[in-house]
PDB file of all heavy atoms in Angstrom:
ATOM      1  N   LEU A 556       6.018 -17.473   5.594  1.00 94.00           N
ATOM      2  CA  LEU A 556       5.170 -16.423   5.032  1.00 94.00           C
ATOM      3  C   LEU A 556       4.256 -15.871   6.129  1.00 94.00           C
ATOM      4  O   LEU A 556       3.514 -16.619   6.772  1.00 94.00           O
ATOM      5  CB  LEU A 556       4.344 -16.974   3.868  1.00 94.00           C
ATOM      6  CG  LEU A 556       3.346 -16.008   3.217  1.00 94.00           C
ATOM      7  CD1 LEU A 556       4.073 -14.839   2.581  1.00 94.00           C
ATOM      8  CD2 LEU A 556       2.490 -16.737   2.182  1.00 94.00           C
ATOM      9  N   ILE A 557       4.308 -14.539   6.326  1.00 94.00           N
ATOM     10  CA  ILE A 557       3.484 -13.865   7.332  1.00 94.00           C
ATOM     11  C   ILE A 557       2.600 -12.852   6.604  1.00 94.00           C
ATOM     12  O   ILE A 557       3.063 -12.137   5.705  1.00 94.00           O
ATOM     13  CB  ILE A 557       4.368 -13.135   8.380  1.00 94.00           C
ATOM     14  CG1 ILE A 557       5.350 -14.122   9.025  1.00 94.00           C
ATOM     15  CG2 ILE A 557       3.500 -12.455   9.433  1.00 94.00           C
ATOM     16  CD1 ILE A 557       6.731 -14.090   8.463  1.00 94.00           C
ATOM     17  N   SER A 558       1.329 -12.775   7.010  1.00 95.00           N
ATOM     18  CA  SER A 558       0.418 -11.810   6.389  1.00 95.00           C
ATOM     19  C   SER A 558      -0.479 -11.175   7.441  1.00 95.00           C
ATOM     20  O   SER A 558      -0.827 -11.799   8.451  1.00 95.00           O
ATOM     21  CB  SER A 558      -0.435 -12.486   5.313  1.00 95.00           C
ATOM     22  OG  SER A 558      -1.322 -13.430   5.884  1.00 95.00           O
ATOM     23  N   VAL A 559      -0.819  -9.902   7.176  1.00 94.00           N
ATOM     24  CA  VAL A 559      -1.754  -9.153   8.032  1.00 94.00           C
ATOM     25  C   VAL A 559      -2.802  -8.544   7.106  1.00 94.00           C
ATOM     26  O   VAL A 559      -2.453  -7.733   6.237  1.00 94.00           O
ATOM     27  CB  VAL A 559      -1.022  -8.059   8.833  1.00 94.00           C
ATOM     28  CG1 VAL A 559      -2.038  -7.267   9.664  1.00 94.00           C
ATOM     29  CG2 VAL A 559       0.060  -8.666   9.723  1.00 94.00           C
ATOM     30  N   LYS A 560      -4.049  -8.907   7.293  1.00 94.00           N
ATOM     31  CA  LYS A 560      -5.127  -8.484   6.392  1.00 94.00           C
ATOM     32  C   LYS A 560      -6.143  -7.625   7.155  1.00 94.00           C
ATOM     33  O   LYS A 560      -6.568  -7.984   8.263  1.00 94.00           O
ATOM     34  CB  LYS A 560      -5.832  -9.702   5.796  1.00 94.00           C
ATOM     35  CG  LYS A 560      -6.977  -9.356   4.852  1.00 94.00           C
ATOM     36  CD  LYS A 560      -7.634 -10.611   4.318  1.00 94.00           C
ATOM     37  CE  LYS A 560      -8.788 -10.262   3.377  1.00 94.00           C
ATOM     38  NZ  LYS A 560      -9.473 -11.462   2.867  1.00 94.00           N
ATOM     39  N   ASP A 561      -6.495  -6.457   6.578  1.00 93.00           N
ATOM     40  CA  ASP A 561      -7.533  -5.609   7.183  1.00 93.00           C
ATOM     41  C   ASP A 561      -8.729  -5.536   6.252  1.00 93.00           C
ATOM     42  O   ASP A 561      -8.698  -6.046   5.128  1.00 93.00           O
ATOM     43  CB  ASP A 561      -6.987  -4.211   7.488  1.00 93.00           C
ATOM     44  CG  ASP A 561      -6.544  -3.486   6.226  1.00 93.00           C
ATOM     45  OD1 ASP A 561      -7.355  -3.374   5.281  1.00 93.00           O
ATOM     46  OD2 ASP A 561      -5.364  -3.022   6.167  1.00 93.00           O
ATOM     47  N   GLU A 562      -9.795  -4.893   6.718  1.00 90.00           N
ATOM     48  CA  GLU A 562     -11.015  -4.744   5.915  1.00 90.00           C
ATOM     49  C   GLU A 562     -11.288  -3.275   5.665  1.00 90.00           C
ATOM     50  O   GLU A 562     -12.423  -2.813   5.668  1.00 90.00           O
ATOM     51  CB  GLU A 562     -12.193  -5.403   6.636  1.00 90.00           C
ATOM     52  CG  GLU A 562     -12.037  -6.913   6.785  1.00 90.00           C
ATOM     53  CD  GLU A 562     -13.203  -7.552   7.531  1.00 90.00           C
ATOM     54  OE1 GLU A 562     -13.985  -6.802   8.173  1.00 90.00           O
ATOM     55  OE2 GLU A 562     -13.332  -8.787   7.483  1.00 90.00           O
ATOM     56  N   GLY A 563     -10.208  -2.527   5.435  1.00 87.00           N
ATOM     57  CA  GLY A 563     -10.338  -1.094   5.241  1.00 87.00           C
ATOM     58  C   GLY A 563     -10.771  -0.733   3.831  1.00 87.00           C
ATOM     59  O   GLY A 563     -11.305  -1.557   3.080  1.00 87.00           O
ATOM     60  N   MET A 564     -10.483   0.498   3.454  1.00 86.00           N
ATOM     61  CA  MET A 564     -10.971   1.014   2.169  1.00 86.00           C
ATOM     62  C   MET A 564     -10.143   0.505   0.986  1.00 86.00           C
ATOM     63  O   MET A 564     -10.548   0.676  -0.164  1.00 86.00           O
ATOM     64  CB  MET A 564     -10.936   2.550   2.194  1.00 86.00           C
ATOM     65  CG  MET A 564      -9.537   3.125   2.396  1.00 86.00           C
ATOM     66  SD  MET A 564      -9.560   4.917   2.461  1.00 86.00           S
ATOM     67  CE  MET A 564      -7.818   5.247   2.705  1.00 86.00           C
ATOM     68  N   GLY A 565      -8.969  -0.102   1.253  1.00 87.00           N
ATOM     69  CA  GLY A 565      -8.172  -0.632   0.161  1.00 87.00           C
ATOM     70  C   GLY A 565      -7.323   0.438  -0.524  1.00 87.00           C
ATOM     71  O   GLY A 565      -7.398   1.626  -0.211  1.00 87.00           O
ATOM     72  N   ILE A 566      -6.532  -0.025  -1.480  1.00 87.00           N
ATOM     73  CA  ILE A 566      -5.600   0.855  -2.200  1.00 87.00           C
ATOM     74  C   ILE A 566      -5.833   0.675  -3.691  1.00 87.00           C
ATOM     75  O   ILE A 566      -5.992  -0.454  -4.169  1.00 87.00           O
ATOM     76  CB  ILE A 566      -4.139   0.507  -1.850  1.00 87.00           C
ATOM     77  CG1 ILE A 566      -3.925   0.567  -0.331  1.00 87.00           C
ATOM     78  CG2 ILE A 566      -3.170   1.435  -2.566  1.00 87.00           C
ATOM     79  CD1 ILE A 566      -2.586   0.029   0.108  1.00 87.00           C
ATOM     80  N   PRO A 567      -5.832   1.750  -4.477  1.00 86.00           N
ATOM     81  CA  PRO A 567      -5.965   1.600  -5.938  1.00 86.00           C
ATOM     82  C   PRO A 567      -4.849   0.708  -6.502  1.00 86.00           C
ATOM     83  O   PRO A 567      -3.709   0.711  -6.015  1.00 86.00           O
ATOM     84  CB  PRO A 567      -5.832   3.044  -6.454  1.00 86.00           C
ATOM     85  CG  PRO A 567      -6.261   3.890  -5.306  1.00 86.00           C
ATOM     86  CD  PRO A 567      -5.819   3.169  -4.067  1.00 86.00           C
ATOM     87  N   ARG A 568      -5.195  -0.035  -7.536  1.00 84.00           N
ATOM     88  CA  ARG A 568      -4.269  -1.014  -8.093  1.00 84.00           C
ATOM     89  C   ARG A 568      -2.958  -0.376  -8.565  1.00 84.00           C
ATOM     90  O   ARG A 568      -1.882  -0.947  -8.397  1.00 84.00           O
ATOM     91  CB  ARG A 568      -4.937  -1.748  -9.248  1.00 84.00           C
ATOM     92  CG  ARG A 568      -4.066  -2.821  -9.870  1.00 84.00           C
ATOM     93  CD  ARG A 568      -4.819  -3.576 -10.947  1.00 84.00           C
ATOM     94  NE  ARG A 568      -5.981  -4.244 -10.394  1.00 84.00           N
ATOM     95  CZ  ARG A 568      -6.850  -4.957 -11.143  1.00 84.00           C
ATOM     96  NH1 ARG A 568      -6.670  -5.038 -12.450  1.00 84.00           N
ATOM     97  NH2 ARG A 568      -7.884  -5.551 -10.589  1.00 84.00           N
ATOM     98  N   ASP A 569      -3.043   0.806  -9.161  1.00 80.00           N
ATOM     99  CA  ASP A 569      -1.839   1.436  -9.690  1.00 80.00           C
ATOM    100  C   ASP A 569      -0.963   2.060  -8.610  1.00 80.00           C
ATOM    101  O   ASP A 569       0.131   2.558  -8.904  1.00 80.00           O
ATOM    102  CB  ASP A 569      -2.221   2.504 -10.717  1.00 80.00           C
ATOM    103  CG  ASP A 569      -3.121   3.575 -10.098  1.00 80.00           C
ATOM    104  OD1 ASP A 569      -3.734   3.307  -9.044  1.00 80.00           O
ATOM    105  OD2 ASP A 569      -3.195   4.673 -10.671  1.00 80.00           O
ATOM    106  N   LYS A 570      -1.425   2.014  -7.342  1.00 82.00           N
ATOM    107  CA  LYS A 570      -0.654   2.618  -6.261  1.00 82.00           C
ATOM    108  C   LYS A 570      -0.188   1.599  -5.225  1.00 82.00           C
ATOM    109  O   LYS A 570       0.467   1.970  -4.250  1.00 82.00           O
ATOM    110  CB  LYS A 570      -1.477   3.703  -5.563  1.00 82.00           C
ATOM    111  CG  LYS A 570      -1.859   4.861  -6.482  1.00 82.00           C
ATOM    112  CD  LYS A 570      -2.660   5.905  -5.757  1.00 82.00           C
ATOM    113  CE  LYS A 570      -3.030   7.055  -6.702  1.00 82.00           C
ATOM    114  NZ  LYS A 570      -3.835   8.094  -5.999  1.00 82.00           N
ATOM    115  N   VAL A 571      -0.506   0.327  -5.456  1.00 84.00           N
ATOM    116  CA  VAL A 571      -0.161  -0.698  -4.460  1.00 84.00           C
ATOM    117  C   VAL A 571       1.346  -0.811  -4.289  1.00 84.00           C
ATOM    118  O   VAL A 571       1.857  -0.911  -3.163  1.00 84.00           O
ATOM    119  CB  VAL A 571      -0.773  -2.060  -4.867  1.00 84.00           C
ATOM    120  CG1 VAL A 571      -0.248  -3.165  -3.958  1.00 84.00           C
ATOM    121  CG2 VAL A 571      -2.294  -2.003  -4.791  1.00 84.00           C
ATOM    122  N   GLU A 572       2.084  -0.798  -5.391  1.00 82.00           N
ATOM    123  CA  GLU A 572       3.526  -0.994  -5.326  1.00 82.00           C
ATOM    124  C   GLU A 572       4.255   0.213  -4.733  1.00 82.00           C
ATOM    125  O   GLU A 572       5.419   0.104  -4.345  1.00 82.00           O
ATOM    126  CB  GLU A 572       4.081  -1.293  -6.721  1.00 82.00           C
ATOM    127  CG  GLU A 572       3.561  -2.604  -7.312  1.00 82.00           C
ATOM    128  CD  GLU A 572       4.161  -2.879  -8.673  1.00 82.00           C
ATOM    129  OE1 GLU A 572       4.932  -2.019  -9.149  1.00 82.00           O
ATOM    130  OE2 GLU A 572       3.868  -3.931  -9.265  1.00 82.00           O
ATOM    131  N   LYS A 573       3.582   1.374  -4.656  1.00 81.00           N
ATOM    132  CA  LYS A 573       4.246   2.587  -4.186  1.00 81.00           C
ATOM    133  C   LYS A 573       4.164   2.790  -2.683  1.00 81.00           C
ATOM    134  O   LYS A 573       4.804   3.687  -2.148  1.00 81.00           O
ATOM    135  CB  LYS A 573       3.648   3.809  -4.883  1.00 81.00           C
ATOM    136  CG  LYS A 573       3.857   3.806  -6.393  1.00 81.00           C
ATOM    137  CD  LYS A 573       3.275   5.060  -7.021  1.00 81.00           C
ATOM    138  CE  LYS A 573       3.489   5.095  -8.522  1.00 81.00           C
ATOM    139  NZ  LYS A 573       2.951   6.323  -9.149  1.00 81.00           N
ATOM    140  N   ILE A 574       3.359   1.968  -1.993  1.00 84.00           N
ATOM    141  CA  ILE A 574       3.138   2.237  -0.568  1.00 84.00           C
ATOM    142  C   ILE A 574       4.374   1.953   0.265  1.00 84.00           C
ATOM    143  O   ILE A 574       4.441   2.374   1.436  1.00 84.00           O
ATOM    144  CB  ILE A 574       1.948   1.409  -0.028  1.00 84.00           C
ATOM    145  CG1 ILE A 574       2.255  -0.087  -0.121  1.00 84.00           C
ATOM    146  CG2 ILE A 574       0.673   1.754  -0.771  1.00 84.00           C
ATOM    147  CD1 ILE A 574       1.195  -0.959   0.533  1.00 84.00           C
ATOM    148  N   PHE A 575       5.359   1.252  -0.320  1.00 83.00           N
ATOM    149  CA  PHE A 575       6.584   0.968   0.426  1.00 83.00           C
ATOM    150  C   PHE A 575       7.664   2.007   0.158  1.00 83.00           C
ATOM    151  O   PHE A 575       8.785   1.869   0.663  1.00 83.00           O
ATOM    152  CB  PHE A 575       7.106  -0.432   0.074  1.00 83.00           C
ATOM    153  CG  PHE A 575       6.165  -1.535   0.465  1.00 83.00           C
ATOM    154  CD1 PHE A 575       5.330  -2.117  -0.470  1.00 83.00           C
ATOM    155  CD2 PHE A 575       6.089  -1.973   1.782  1.00 83.00           C
ATOM    156  CE1 PHE A 575       4.461  -3.135  -0.124  1.00 83.00           C
ATOM    157  CE2 PHE A 575       5.216  -2.995   2.140  1.00 83.00           C
ATOM    158  CZ  PHE A 575       4.393  -3.577   1.191  1.00 83.00           C
ATOM    159  N   GLU A 576       7.359   3.014  -0.639  1.00 76.00           N
ATOM    160  CA  GLU A 576       8.317   4.080  -0.882  1.00 76.00           C
ATOM    161  C   GLU A 576       8.286   5.074   0.278  1.00 76.00           C
ATOM    162  O   GLU A 576       7.251   5.269   0.930  1.00 76.00           O
ATOM    163  CB  GLU A 576       7.996   4.798  -2.192  1.00 76.00           C
ATOM    164  CG  GLU A 576       8.133   3.908  -3.414  1.00 76.00           C
ATOM    165  CD  GLU A 576       7.800   4.647  -4.693  1.00 76.00           C
ATOM    166  OE1 GLU A 576       7.540   5.874  -4.605  1.00 76.00           O
ATOM    167  OE2 GLU A 576       7.782   4.008  -5.770  1.00 76.00           O
ATOM    168  N   ARG A 577       9.400   5.729   0.493  1.00 68.00           N
ATOM    169  CA  ARG A 577       9.502   6.674   1.611  1.00 68.00           C
ATOM    170  C   ARG A 577       8.643   7.910   1.358  1.00 68.00           C
ATOM    171  O   ARG A 577       8.602   8.427   0.242  1.00 68.00           O
ATOM    172  CB  ARG A 577      10.964   7.085   1.811  1.00 68.00           C
ATOM    173  CG  ARG A 577      11.881   5.911   2.109  1.00 68.00           C
ATOM    174  CD  ARG A 577      13.315   6.341   2.252  1.00 68.00           C
ATOM    175  NE  ARG A 577      14.195   5.179   2.433  1.00 68.00           N
ATOM    176  CZ  ARG A 577      15.497   5.254   2.635  1.00 68.00           C
ATOM    177  NH1 ARG A 577      16.079   6.452   2.671  1.00 68.00           N
ATOM    178  NH2 ARG A 577      16.213   4.164   2.801  1.00 68.00           N
ATOM    179  N   PHE A 578       7.936   8.339   2.393  1.00 64.00           N
ATOM    180  CA  PHE A 578       7.104   9.537   2.410  1.00 64.00           C
ATOM    181  C   PHE A 578       5.866   9.408   1.512  1.00 64.00           C
ATOM    182  O   PHE A 578       5.184  10.394   1.274  1.00 64.00           O
ATOM    183  CB  PHE A 578       7.914  10.778   1.977  1.00 64.00           C
ATOM    184  CG  PHE A 578       9.113  11.035   2.822  1.00 64.00           C
ATOM    185  CD1 PHE A 578      10.388  10.757   2.340  1.00 64.00           C
ATOM    186  CD2 PHE A 578       8.980  11.549   4.103  1.00 64.00           C
ATOM    187  CE1 PHE A 578      11.504  10.998   3.114  1.00 64.00           C
ATOM    188  CE2 PHE A 578      10.084  11.804   4.875  1.00 64.00           C
ATOM    189  CZ  PHE A 578      11.359  11.513   4.383  1.00 64.00           C
ATOM    190  N   TYR A 579       5.596   8.185   0.991  1.00 65.00           N
ATOM    191  CA  TYR A 579       4.442   8.054   0.104  1.00 65.00           C
ATOM    192  C   TYR A 579       3.186   7.822   0.950  1.00 65.00           C
ATOM    193  O   TYR A 579       3.163   6.996   1.871  1.00 65.00           O
ATOM    194  CB  TYR A 579       4.626   6.887  -0.867  1.00 65.00           C
ATOM    195  CG  TYR A 579       3.476   6.773  -1.838  1.00 65.00           C
ATOM    196  CD1 TYR A 579       3.400   7.595  -2.957  1.00 65.00           C
ATOM    197  CD2 TYR A 579       2.448   5.862  -1.611  1.00 65.00           C
ATOM    198  CE1 TYR A 579       2.338   7.512  -3.827  1.00 65.00           C
ATOM    199  CE2 TYR A 579       1.380   5.771  -2.485  1.00 65.00           C
ATOM    200  CZ  TYR A 579       1.318   6.600  -3.595  1.00 65.00           C
ATOM    201  OH  TYR A 579       0.263   6.521  -4.460  1.00 65.00           O
ATOM    202  N   ARG A 580       2.099   8.570   0.609  1.00 61.00           N
ATOM    203  CA  ARG A 580       0.806   8.408   1.260  1.00 61.00           C
ATOM    204  C   ARG A 580      -0.256   8.313   0.189  1.00 61.00           C
ATOM    205  O   ARG A 580      -0.302   9.133  -0.735  1.00 61.00           O
ATOM    206  CB  ARG A 580       0.496   9.602   2.179  1.00 61.00           C
ATOM    207  CG  ARG A 580       1.480   9.813   3.317  1.00 61.00           C
ATOM    208  CD  ARG A 580       1.054  11.018   4.142  1.00 61.00           C
ATOM    209  NE  ARG A 580       1.930  11.262   5.273  1.00 61.00           N
ATOM    210  CZ  ARG A 580       3.011  12.026   5.220  1.00 61.00           C
ATOM    211  NH1 ARG A 580       3.330  12.622   4.089  1.00 61.00           N
ATOM    212  NH2 ARG A 580       3.754  12.192   6.298  1.00 61.00           N
ATOM    213  N   VAL A 581      -1.113   7.308   0.306  1.00 62.00           N
ATOM    214  CA  VAL A 581      -2.220   7.170  -0.657  1.00 62.00           C
ATOM    215  C   VAL A 581      -3.198   8.324  -0.465  1.00 62.00           C
ATOM    216  O   VAL A 581      -3.620   8.980  -1.413  1.00 62.00           O
ATOM    217  CB  VAL A 581      -2.926   5.814  -0.476  1.00 62.00           C
ATOM    218  CG1 VAL A 581      -4.093   5.708  -1.449  1.00 62.00           C
ATOM    219  CG2 VAL A 581      -1.942   4.673  -0.701  1.00 62.00           C
TER     220      VAL A 581
END
């Protein structure tokens, strides 16, 4: 298991699963 954690602004809960889709930008 590998993980990379940042302290940025985060992603809304309903959009977390979509960030791996092509051309998707939060």
Side-chain angles (χ1 to χ4, degrees):
L556 177 63
I557 304 99
S558 67
V559 178
K560 180 181 180 181
D561 62 54
E562 295 179 345
M564 61 182 180
I566 304 171
R568 182 176 299 178
D569 59 340
K570 298 180 180 180
V571 172
E572 296 181 357
K573 297 182 179 181
I574 63 174
F575 297 100
E576 296 180 4
R577 301 178 184 183
F578 302 106
Y579 183 80
R580 299 180 178 89
V581 178

